[in-house]
Amino acid sequence: MSSRLAFSCSLLVVLATKAFSSDAAFSQRAIPETRLPNGRIVTPTGKWLSLPPFPFAIAVRPDAEQLTVPCIGWPFSLNVVDHPGGETPEVRRFPNGRKNDPDVEVLAGVAYSPDGRALYDATGESGAVDVWSPEIWKKIGRIPLDGVTAATKYTSSFAAALALSADGQLLYVLDQGNWRVVVIDVKNLKRIASLPTGSNPFALALSPDSKHLYVTNSGLFEYRTVDGVDADDIIGTGLRFPPFGYPSKAAREGVRVGGHNVAGLGSENDVRGSSLWTYSVGDPEGGRLIAKLRLGGEIGEALHSIKGGAAPSGVAADAQHVYVALAHNDAIAIISTDGEHVLRQVDITPFSGPQFRDKEGRPLRGVMPAGLAVDAGHLYVAEAGINAVGVIEKKSGKVLGHIPVGWYPSAVAVSPTGGTLYVVNSKGRGAGPNGGSTVSSDAPGHYIGELEYGSVSAISLKLSSADLANATARVLRDNEAALMPDLHLPRLKHAFLIIRENRTFDEIFGDLPGVNGDPKLARYGMQGWAQENPSLKDLHVTPNAHALALRFGTSDAFSTDSDVSADGHRWAVGVAPTPWMNLAWTSMYGGRRHENFFSAAPGRRTLGGGADAPMPEDEPEFGTLWEHLSGAGLSLRNYGETLEVEGNDERVGTDPEGQRLALNAPVPEPVFVSTDRAFPTINQGIPDQIRYTEFARDFSSLVARGEAPALTVIRLPLDHTAHPRPDDGYPYRASYIADNDLALGKITDLISHSTIWKDSAIFVTEDDAQGGVDHVDAHRSVLLVMSPYVRPGVVSHRHSSMPSIQKTIYELLGVGPLNLEDALATDLSDMFTDTPNLIPFMAVPADPRIFDPVKACVAHPKTAAEAHDLVDIDDPREIRAEFHKKATRQNLSRPNGQ
């Protein structure tokens, strides 16, 4: 298993009860306007109830007197609101302390019995359904999904969404481990049937008469273990590089590579993926599959063809139609009740005009419809990408308007009385600061996930046409809030994107002159420290980053859109994670979603959604940064990025590539053909000095041949840090930062001394900010921009984000927007000038007290335990442990006496 996944066994979202006490009922006051990391604003409508991070589902009791919301945090919790329509709702949380309770297991499937005396809860990892009594809030039963059904033995089940028949007799549970629906006789607590699904099943719904069951399949393929790869000898038998690009003939039909016959994935347009499957149910036998309906356009290999599936997500049904949210298509498919035909497809984007179309004239995507709910006359759509709820008139299919809510709405439900819409906002209003004097004294911790509370909005449905028009105008205003006047940008021929790991602004640049920084948090600045050796004072941890900021440009208002690396590397290449992916990574980082690349259960092989490389199911309709630029006829070169596909193992001993692969998982075709395969991916046991050396060799050769690419992407990961390795040249965690900083300086030195420097710009970002602290916001991170055309020493103060980098690269290279994310972001033109300064940059030596590049070498552990410790990639336990040591505030801010 990948070390990133193997060690990501605790999101550690410790939620102090005190932190929620002030919002322990639906707030009657207006929720203040909040700016998100991407620069957009949320101005939520209605009443507001704060919850632990990452809620994705909601159940409303039939009498409307209670609702339950499961949250995927630490602890994983059931959150119960009594009398939600009253003036003083009561809120309870199980468990109510800081520790995870093994008896409370949740994911995103909850449903009340018709009489409200039982709550059914899908447990996720343990593959069962728990039955709770809402009268006493005790667990009164458990129904495991594993076992023998119809002569087939199932193991490794993963219980996700569920639905209960109208009479309360049959329970349908989605098993994402085995890609099936388990039918349960509730009265006898007995499994009676197992119904197969397609790839990555995500959501299910019953028709009002409970005679039809509908399941959305959000994935595209089943990934299989490569023949000949041995679980006990991954290093010796695993693939060194993904076997093929996607989409391609090789991906469809298979290849022979590295001595292995690698099976193909089959057709990317097969009905097992991007589809709605319909079952006839309700009979004593449990049901049967009656229809398979492919959704979305046809995927193809041509330059401007569709690259991704429709990502079917939420599903709802009434007596006349089935409604499916197409997350990648910004549309709702309206389907016949037999599941055979798409009757209509409703485009839901509120953004119009030429600025919201690409160069092919296609509408920019990014509304990201997720959860759905219906009442007598309307369909309500959780629009996760624009922080709104869309309202559609069912009879006409007309979009009546959009209601602003919180960050990333993922589920909606209508009160049984019909007067209230409940909206689950998975990320609430963001995280806020996690370091310095601005942190609240009762904050539950410093880790970004601890602070990003979710919420439920309660919205009155007594909305007039004028109300909806005003609400829609507010949605447009809020989503365009990041836009600033675009200033002049030069037209360049070469752009470089360097992606690093996990740092905040303050811990690197808090000491930089002229910025909104907190020098006390600059542990990796020019007066930094090594927490393992307090006697070392005023360490120059990042002399190159500081020199680059002073010579070229930076921003003190740049934030990552991501929370962790799993979504961060998707955001970095223009991929907003789908509802399936967001549910996958949060439960994975929470320690209750485990993969097994060698499992017989197809879902278990890819349950986490990939380490941090976009998989085919992640591909937006019109592709990523890679397809966008290659489709424009521009050349690419990739060093280490977008390679951590499903099935990767990054243990020590896998150099020079840094990983071995067990599955037939692909990378985007432009990545497959443009990657320097001798450049290591993220593996923390490989020095960044080695990465620089390989880049210098390859880049210099390309320039000498006159083949320098238009876009070069470089993964430079050692500022992530890992456990100290004194024998290998890393006596302190800060040593990894220093290695990374020196490599960054050398790369800039090399490029700026090359013949292409006069036509180049370099952008440096972090994939996320989860590893550090910041006095402004836990998402605020590092941005560096280097070019002859960058204003010397400029500090941008206007809000920018990852899509701002992409937008600027597209503008510099003469390419239009890819999606709504970059179209609604400000660019970085305020950092540029028309007058070039061609003087090259000279790399600054590392402080020898913490890093000597001569001593840096590949990790060679002496014991298995030491090997386990060497590659601690994205382990929330490690990050939070560093935050929560006994001397926490001295570890995260300047020690006394310095």
Side-chain angles (χ1 to χ4, degrees), residues 463-727:
L463 298 171
S464 66
S465 297
D467 292 333
L468 273 176
N470 290 333
T472 302
R474 190 148 49 103
V475 168
L476 291 170
R477 185 207 70 176
D478 291 352
N479 280 279
E480 294 176 356
L483 290 173
M484 299 286 286
D486 292 342
L487 306 175
H488 178 69
L489 278 168
R491 182 60 59 85
L492 301 180
K493 297 178 181 178
H494 308 284
F496 296 81
L497 174 59
I498 300 176
I499 303 171
R500 305 192 305 173
E501 291 282 330
N502 293 25
R503 304 270 67 90
T504 60
F505 180 88
D506 269 342
E507 63 180 341
I508 303 293
F509 283 147
D511 60 352
L512 198 67
V515 302
N516 179 15
D518 186 343
K520 294 181 180 179
L521 300 180
R523 55 176 172 165
Y524 299 138
M526 292 299 283
Q527 293 176 305
W529 56 94
Q531 63 190 49
E532 301 89 352
N533 187 355
S535 66
L536 294 176
K537 301 192 184 290
D538 295 332
L539 296 176
H540 296 178
V541 184
T542 51
N544 283 280
H546 281 72
L548 290 168
L550 293 171
R551 162 69 195 279
F552 297 104
T554 188
S555 169
D556 63 0
F558 171 83
S559 294
T560 64
D561 301 69
S562 55
D563 293 318
V564 298
S565 291
D567 64 327
H569 283 271
R570 286 165 166 81
W571 279 109
V573 296
V575 177
T578 62
W580 189 94
M581 180 59 202
N582 270 317
L583 184 64
W585 82 252
T586 48
S587 51
M588 178 182 70
Y589 273 63
R592 289 185 172 180
R593 195 180 189 99
H594 294 106
E595 294 182 316
N596 177 0
F597 306 144
F598 298 87
S599 176
R604 282 289 178 179
R605 295 177 217 135
T606 56
L607 197 63
D612 52 26
M615 299 291 287
E617 22 281 299
D618 291 308
E619 288 273 350
E621 186 176 14
F622 305 129
T624 70
L625 169 149
W626 301 111
E627 290 90 358
H628 191 50
L629 291 178
S630 63
L634 299 177
S635 56
L636 307 172
R637 191 63 169 162
N638 178 50
Y639 300 92
E641 181 57 37
T642 310
L643 300 180
E644 282 189 292
V645 296
E646 288 278 31
N648 75 309
D649 189 312
E650 296 163 351
R651 69 182 66 185
V652 293
T654 58
D655 50 298
E657 301 86 1
Q659 66 177 357
R660 294 291 184 269
L661 304 170
L663 299 179
N664 62 341
V667 291
E669 179 67 10
V671 174
F672 187 77
V673 300
S674 69
T675 292
D676 174 3
R677 301 188 182 189
F679 189 95
T681 188
I682 188 174
N683 193 310
Q684 300 292 290
I686 301 175
D688 274 348
Q689 298 308 302
I690 289 179
R691 291 181 175 86
Y692 163 72
T693 299
E694 173 55 25
F695 168 77
R697 181 201 65 78
D698 190 69
F699 170 76
S700 299
S701 176
L702 291 171
V703 172
R705 298 197 305 267
E707 299 176 1
L711 176 68
T712 299
V713 181
I714 306 168
R715 189 166 192 177
L716 204 64
L718 249 63
D719 64 328
H720 182 293
T721 77
H723 291 290
R725 292 163 29 216
D727 292 343

Side-chain angles (χ1 to χ4, degrees), residues 14-15 74-76 93-102:
V14 177
L15 302 164
W74 187 279
F76 278 51
R93 181 163 60 91
F94 305 96
N96 61 8
R98 290 172 175 256
K99 293 184 178 181
N100 224 348
D101 185 342

